[in-house]
């Protein structure tokens, strides 16, 4: 683990609220390279958090590093404010059209974690809608300045929206500053949680939160925690920002119901996934957990054996997927393991929205998508993880059972 990564974890952990350490002295003791630190903070999406920690001592940094941190911080704040205002506008559009919406990331998550929609880096807006409302929601956004990446026929849209594989549809809006950048809205009709969650399940675990003066219906803290932990595991915790979200949500929830979280995770068969994320947050960020919860987490030797691989993946020392074998074993129920196998086959062979957009084919040639899809998947794995990616995907980093 590099000195810069260690310093990032210190900036993001609870120490910043407890003893206000001398961050510059801490960085010097670790022999931190400020340029490398800035690049790593940028990669993990935590420039704002690092800048806020360093702000009282920012004058002690090299002048070029000072300017870079300040510029990126203020640019990020401006972008986040724009995204927050656009979020308000979109929520008003859907309210007028009587379309039920659940926001769960983006500005709403920033507001929940930091009491401000401007602090956490937000590049897109994630909204959950009922499947029956997806096309109507899409048409409303198109009328209000958003654009689709590709023009799909009505028949293609019906096919994809009814697919078991697809769970979201993306639309984009150009930023006022131009430069080719666009704000993305993701319309989800199910959240990437676990395969066997009924669509109505998400709508049964909601509460009201304030977004400024706007009342918004969103997930309960425990349900949001479950979603964030599953999302992080799905990407094998590539970003420190996701882990920081876990730590912040625990700190900012006054009466977090740990028993309810563990009950929900057992109900959905993702208890080991939850244990994995919480242990990783505790080990890297020093997240404070109740004693009885820590005892329960430390009882799972299989999950503990996966932690070193996740740390390597996050630091960039070794790009390593969690592995097909470990993905099977982390699912406690036999039925969930078979569902995972089925999802793998769907991922490899069943075309998705990007396939239709990148290579539009007439209806007669649609079977070609099923032939081209495996080639695309293998190419992506090779580019992301290297030529030995197939072995890593099959067996992962660890050898534990």
């Amino acid at each position: 683990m590099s000195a810069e990564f260690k310093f990032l974890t210190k900036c993001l952990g609870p120490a910043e609220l407890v003893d206000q350490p001398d961050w510059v002295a801490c960085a010097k003791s670790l022999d931190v390279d400020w340029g490398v630190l800035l690049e790593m903070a940028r990669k993990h999406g935590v420039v704002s958090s690092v800048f806020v920690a360093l702000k009282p001592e920012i004058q002690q940094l090299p002048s070029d590093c000072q300017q870079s941190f300040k510029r990126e911080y203020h640019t990020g704040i401006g972008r986040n404010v724009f995204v927050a205002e656009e979020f308000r506008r979109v929520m008003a559009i859907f309210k007028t059209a009587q379309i039920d919406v659940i926001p769960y990331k983006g500005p709403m998550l920033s507001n929940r974690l930091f009491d401000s929609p401007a602090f956490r880096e937000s590049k897109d807006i994630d909204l959950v809608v009922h499947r029956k409302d997806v096309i109507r929601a899409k048409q409303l956004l198109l009328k209000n300045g958003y654009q689709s990446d590709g023009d799909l026929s009505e028949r293609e849209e019906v096919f994809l929206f009814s697919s078991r594989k697809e769970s979201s549809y993306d639309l984009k809006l150009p930023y006022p500053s131009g430069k080719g950048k666009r704000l993305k809205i993701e319309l989800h009709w199910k959240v990437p949680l676990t395969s066997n969650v009924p669509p109505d399940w998400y709508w049964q675990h909601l509460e009201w939160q304030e977004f400024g003066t706007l009342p918004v219906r969103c997930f309960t803290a425990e349900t949001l925690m479950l979603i964030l932990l599953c999302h992080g595991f799905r990407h094998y915790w590539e970003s420190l920002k996701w882990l920081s979200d876990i730590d912040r949500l625990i700190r900012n929830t006054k009466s977090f119901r740990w028993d309810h979280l563990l009950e929900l995770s057992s109900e959905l068969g993702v208890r080991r996934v939850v244990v994995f994320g919480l242990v990783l947050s505790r080990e890297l960020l020093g997240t404070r957990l109740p004693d009885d919860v820590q005892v329960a987490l430390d009882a799972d030797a299989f999950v503990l054996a996966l932690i070193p691989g996740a740390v390597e993946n996050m630091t960039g020392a070794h790009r390593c997927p969690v592995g097909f074998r470990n993905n099977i074993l982390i699912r406690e129920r036999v039925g969930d393991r078979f569902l995972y196998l089925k999802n793998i086959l769907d991922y490899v062979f069943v075309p998705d929205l990007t396939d239709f957009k990148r290579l539009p084919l007439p209806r007669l040639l649609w079977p070609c998508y099923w032939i081209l899809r495996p080639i695309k998947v293998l190419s992506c794995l090779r580019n992301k993880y290297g030529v030995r990616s197939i072995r890593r995907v099959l067996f992962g980093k660890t050898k534990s059972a």
Side-chain angles (χ1 to χ4, degrees):
M1 189 186 298
S2 68
E4 292 76 22
F5 187 81
K6 287 181 181 177
F7 185 76
L8 280 185
T9 61
K10 290 179 181 295
C11 287
L12 298 173
E16 64 180 274
L17 298 181
V18 179
D19 50 11
Q20 290 295 320
D22 184 338
W23 291 112
V24 173
C26 176
K28 288 179 179 177
S29 69
L30 292 171
D31 196 22
V32 167
D33 182 309
W34 292 109
V36 173
L37 176 70
L38 177 60
E39 182 60 33
M40 189 173 287
R42 187 185 296 125
K43 171 193 168 188
H44 287 279
V46 293
V47 172
S48 294
S49 296
V50 176
F51 177 80
V52 169
L54 293 172
K55 192 174 181 181
E57 307 165 70
I58 197 73
Q59 298 302 324
Q60 299 183 45
L61 271 63
S63 58
D64 58 337
C65 195
Q66 286 183 41
Q67 296 305 316
S68 296
F69 264 112
K70 289 178 181 178
R71 181 173 60 253
E72 295 214 18
Y73 173 75
H74 291 296
T75 299
I77 291 293
R79 180 185 60 244
N80 296 341
V81 168
F82 165 72
V83 176
E85 290 303 313
E86 187 59 24
F87 170 73
R88 290 176 183 275
R89 184 175 81 96
V90 169
M91 292 297 288
I93 290 170
F94 287 147
K95 183 178 180 180
T96 302
Q98 297 183 330
I99 294 178
D100 292 329
V101 177
I102 310 171
Y104 78 100
K105 287 196 286 184
M108 191 67 210
L109 181 59
S110 177
N111 193 67
R112 196 161 184 171
L113 300 183
F114 299 99
D115 300 319
S116 168
F119 192 76
R120 181 184 181 273
E121 182 177 312
S122 298
K123 294 182 179 179
D124 51 25
I125 299 172
D126 292 82
L127 303 173
V128 181
V129 297
H130 291 291
R131 185 191 290 266
K132 64 180 177 61
D133 292 329
V134 173
I135 293 180
R136 191 158 66 99
K138 172 210 159 186
Q139 291 170 344
L140 273 172
L141 291 173
L142 290 175
K143 290 178 181 177
N144 283 273
Y146 283 81
Q147 302 165 359
S148 175
D149 273 346
D151 295 325
L152 300 180
S153 68
E154 185 176 341
R155 188 173 185 176
E156 289 170 335
E157 285 189 344
V158 170
F159 168 76
L160 290 168
F161 291 155
S162 62
S163 166
R164 294 187 307 270
K165 182 178 180 179
E166 288 298 332
S167 63
S168 65
Y169 190 87
D170 301 347
L171 296 105
K172 297 181 180 179
L173 179 75
Y175 278 105
S177 58
K179 299 181 181 180
K181 296 183 178 181
R182 297 196 291 172
L183 166 67
K184 181 171 71 173
I185 282 192
E186 295 187 27
L187 294 175
H188 301 261
W189 49 95
K190 58 182 177 180
V191 180
L193 187 53
T194 183
S195 308
N196 57 345
V197 179
D200 291 340
W201 184 89
Y202 306 105
W203 300 86
Q204 299 167 7
H205 296 81
L206 303 176
E207 64 183 13
W208 288 96
Q209 291 275 331
E210 296 291 328
F211 187 82
T213 58
L214 177 69
V216 178
R217 195 167 57 151
C218 56
F219 293 116
T220 63
E222 296 75 24
T223 306
L224 179 61
M225 174 69 77
L226 198 63
I227 291 169
L228 294 177
L229 287 167
C230 288
H231 173 266
F233 178 77
R234 186 167 173 246
H235 297 283
Y236 205 22
W237 295 104
E238 293 176 350
S239 174
L240 261 179
K241 180 173 74 170
W242 301 335
L243 211 58
S244 177
D245 291 343
I246 301 301
D247 181 73
R248 282 278 179 178
L249 183 57
I250 292 171
R251 281 194 259 161
N252 281 20
T253 303
K254 293 181 180 178
S255 301
F256 194 89
R257 298 176 296 167
W258 288 102
D259 55 340
H260 185 54
L261 172 67
L262 296 177
E263 181 184 327
L264 283 177
S265 65
S266 297
E267 173 190 328
L268 298 176
V270 292
R271 187 183 177 95
R272 276 183 158 178
V273 171
V274 167
V275 170
F276 184 90
L278 292 176
V279 170
L280 190 61
S281 186
R282 182 189 68 186
E283 296 301 311
L284 286 181
L285 301 186
T287 300
R288 292 166 183 168
L289 305 169
D291 292 340
D292 56 336
V293 174
Q294 297 208 53
V295 170
L297 301 186
D298 291 334
D300 197 323
F302 168 77
V303 172
L304 295 178
L306 290 177
I307 298 299
V311 173
E312 287 190 4
N313 199 48
M314 190 177 287
T315 59
H318 175 64
R319 295 287 291 174
C320 173
V322 69
F324 176 78
R325 175 176 174 272
N326 291 328
N327 252 311
I328 290 288
L329 294 177
I330 206 166
R331 287 161 170 78
E332 300 98 317
R333 302 185 301 209
V334 175
D336 291 335
R337 294 179 179 183
F338 278 109
L339 275 173
Y340 174 72
L341 289 172
K342 176 186 166 301
N343 287 338
I344 288 294
L345 292 174
D346 281 350
Y347 173 73
V348 173
F349 292 103
V350 179
D352 60 16
L353 278 171
T354 59
D355 299 316
F356 277 79
K357 290 176 179 178
R358 290 175 183 172
L359 183 62
L361 295 175
R363 178 68 181 87
L364 188 63
L365 296 180
W366 277 12
C368 293
Y369 287 121
W370 275 261
I371 299 171
L372 296 172
R373 174 72 186 179
I375 299 172
K376 172 189 170 184
V377 170
L378 290 174
S379 175
C380 289
L381 287 173
R382 184 188 61 192
N383 292 338
K384 186 172 184 180
Y385 299 113
V387 293
R388 301 172 68 186
S389 62
I390 304 303
R391 184 181 64 80
R392 293 175 190 164
V393 168
L394 288 175
F395 303 110
K397 178 70 175 174
T398 68
K399 297 182 180 179
S400 61

